[in-house]
């Protein structure tokens, strides 16, 4: 059984920085792309950053130039470095990985979500 566990998050002032991480645990699996989503109160969950297994990255316009996604394949971990944070970045952040386990087709797995609040 594969599980994703997120860490990081919290309260930060506007203009500040924060880092998130998400590690996959279990055995006998292969990770393809890794993503970060956020969900603001009353809004749909939104994809904000993606990194493929060859390291290519894509960002939503709302975070491009401020957020950086990276991965450590040896640790089965994806990171999100968030700089120049704005109050509108306040949301629950979710990691997502497209994973194939032994004898099963690949599917999406989700982290538990972590709250990021940007406020003075």
């Amino acid at each position: 059984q594969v599980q994703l566990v997120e860490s990081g998050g919290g309260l930060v002032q506007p203009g500040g920085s924060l880092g998130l991480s998400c590690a996959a645990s279990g055995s006998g699996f292969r990770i393809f792309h890794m993503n970060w989503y956020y969900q603001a109160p009353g809004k749909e969950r939104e994809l904000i950053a993606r990194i493929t297994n060859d390291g290519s990255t894509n960002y939503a316009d709302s975070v491009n130039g401020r957020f950086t996604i990276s991965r450590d394949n040896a640790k089965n971990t994806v990171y999100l470095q968030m700089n120049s944070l704005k109050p509108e970045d306040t949301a629950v952040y979710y990691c997502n990985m497209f994973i194939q386990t032994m004898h099963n087709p690949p599917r999406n797995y989700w982290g538990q979500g972590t709250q990021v609040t940007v406020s003075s």
Side-chain angles (χ1 to χ4, degrees), residues 43-117:
K43 295 191 176 181
E44 298 285 322
R45 193 172 297 187
E46 178 183 351
L47 175 64
I48 57 170
R50 166 171 291 184
I51 184 165
T52 64
N53 54 0
D54 66 359
S56 299
T57 58
N58 293 96
Y59 298 93
D61 289 344
S62 57
V63 306
N64 196 25
R66 300 187 298 120
F67 290 11
T68 301
I69 187 171
S70 60
R71 63 191 286 169
D72 184 333
N73 291 330
K75 295 181 179 180
N76 296 319
T77 299
V78 62
Y79 304 94
L80 186 69
Q81 178 62 38
M82 304 180 290
N83 299 326
S84 303
L85 282 159
K86 305 175 181 179
E88 51 264 43
D89 296 320
T90 295
V92 178
Y93 285 68
Y94 296 91
C95 64
N96 164 276
M97 299 186 188
F98 195 59
I99 294 174
Q100 183 174 23
T101 56
M102 289 179 64
H103 310 303
N104 292 297
R107 69 172 182 89
N108 281 306
Y109 289 79
W110 291 90
Q112 79 276 16
T114 187
Q115 177 70 44
V116 172
T117 301

